[in-house]
Amino acid sequence: MWYNIFNTIAFRLTLWFTGIFSICSSFAFVLFYFLATQTLQTQIDQELLDNAAKFSAVIRRNGLMGARELAVVEAQAAGEKMIFFRLVYPTGEVFASSHMSYWKHVHVSKHVLQRLISNKDNVFETVRVASTPKKARILYSYVAGNAILQTGIAMDSYIKFLSAFKKVFISAMGFIIIFSAISGWLLVRKALSGVTAITKTAQNITGNNLDARVKGTGNKDELDHLVITFNSMLDRIEELVKSIREMSDNIAHDLKSPITRIRGFAELTLIHEENLEDYRTMAANTIEETDRLLDMINTMLVISKAEAGEEDFEFKKTNLSLMVKEACDLFAPLAEDKHIEFSQIIQDQIFIVADIRMLQRAFSNLLDNAIKYTPEYGKITVITSLTNNEVSIRIEDTGIGIAPEYVEKIFERFYRAESSRTSAGTGLGLSLARTIVRRHKGDIRVESSQGKGAVFEMRLPFNNFKVI
Ligand code: ADP
């Protein structure tokens, strides 16, 4: 794997998952431990209190002598290592006890006696039994007016529980950590499998393999959305790459023809006898072809600059009606040459804010096309109309028309429909026209069907003094 596993999201999430799981489990264990020890201690304390009550009752019935016997008998019955009884005067002097050899290191605490005397309330304490690992719970309690019972119980069950709990805790935590790490890893891997698929697809995609797509989960979750977005991004890139390829093919093609022609002229002139007239013709042809090339290159530059917002447009309040009329007058002789009926319905005095030089270029391209693609004896009509916020300039022709599949493509740079390849042109005119009109916040639309003529409509914002 080319990346470090410790840097992966899967690893970090697993770590988090394991950590949180372990902390929660530890918390549950601590809570359980606390409750269990509390319960055990309460049980022991209750037992001690019961014993004290027993001593009080015996003393009331049989006096202190009875308590002496009870101490021995009770300790023997329960086990002398389990329980002890000591009867003391408030001064701390012991006057009776059970067999104390095991408990000899547990003394009567003067300090506790003091507390008992001043508070008149039972006092509990937990002590470590010296020289043994055991602990004992001890109760000091008044069992008669001048007799205090000190009784203790070995906390064996308590200690046993504690060590059993430790073992359970360690093994359970081990299991929980391993279980949560494995399950966390599997869960995270499953959740991130979509990301892995996207990464793999992205790695597989090269310039030539743009058609690879990631399969969505269909769950409509975040990953599914990511997959959909990723795939639509690929669609868009594929489209762009395709159009860039087409465009560069077209550029190559369009550059090749004039250059081949220039070369042809030069070759012919060389082959023919040296004649000044031949050289002149060659020079004239070369100039014509290079002019066409330069014009094409300049148009490309204008489109690119205008699209990037770098071309300087000089927006001024101008008479659009006048511009349309002048352009029509300019093209009328061309239409006449082809015996085309050229009519114009142009509304007077339409003023808009525009770069009129550029708009004229756009409109001239549309008009030039209409004449170019309309056969002899056809008809062309230019109509302007006005709404509250839009000016429309329509150019209707009865020419060869455009097949529906090409209607959007003809606006791409260098694109020329199959049917029009025979007539001269670069395929840049419409692209330039649309770029110019869009810089004016307008657009160009086309309605056409093959063989039935075409209608190109330039729409520009009217009252646009503030728009641009
Ligand atoms: P050119 O005219 O130099 O080929 P354009 O960008 O002006 O380039 O036009 C692109 C293509 O759109 C043309 O090649 C032609 O196929 C189609 N076209 C444009 N105007 C018309 C029209 N009025 N009638 C039919 N086809 C048209």
Side-chain angles (χ1 to χ4, degrees), residues 76-92:
Q76 274 174 355
E80 281 167 351
K81 287 186 179 173
M82 277 308 295
I83 198 162
F84 74 87
F85 302 97
R86 231 183 223 144
L87 288 156
V88 294
Y89 294 120
T91 53

Side-chain angles (χ1 to χ4, degrees), residues 320 347-352 383-394 445 457-465:
L320 186 73
Q347 200 174 323
D348 273 336
Q349 304 293 320
I350 305 174
F351 282 91
I352 63 165
I383 311 164
T384 64
S385 59
L386 203 59
T387 64
N388 264 348
N389 47 20
E390 249 182 357
V391 188
S392 147
I393 308 167
R394 283 168 70 89
R445 290 189 213 159
E457 186 183 21
M458 258 168 79
R459 280 166 179 260
L460 291 159
F462 182 54
N463 281 335
N464 63 344
F465 305 100

Side-chain angles (χ1 to χ4, degrees), residues 365-374 395-403 406-407 409-421 423-433 446 448 453-456:
N365 270 324
L366 299 185
L367 212 51
D368 186 38
N369 280 346
I371 295 170
K372 204 159 60 175
Y373 299 116
T374 301
I395 300 148
E396 303 174 356
D397 69 48
T398 55
I400 57 171
I402 305 147
Y406 302 134
V407 163
K409 289 206 151 234
I410 55 170
F411 289 98
E412 288 171 16
R413 270 177 254 187
F414 295 105
Y415 192 85
R416 310 194 69 208
E418 210 61 55
S419 49
S420 53
R421 292 272 160 86
S423 40
T426 57
L428 286 171
L430 282 182
S431 174
L432 177 69
V446 57
S448 177
V455 179
F456 280 83

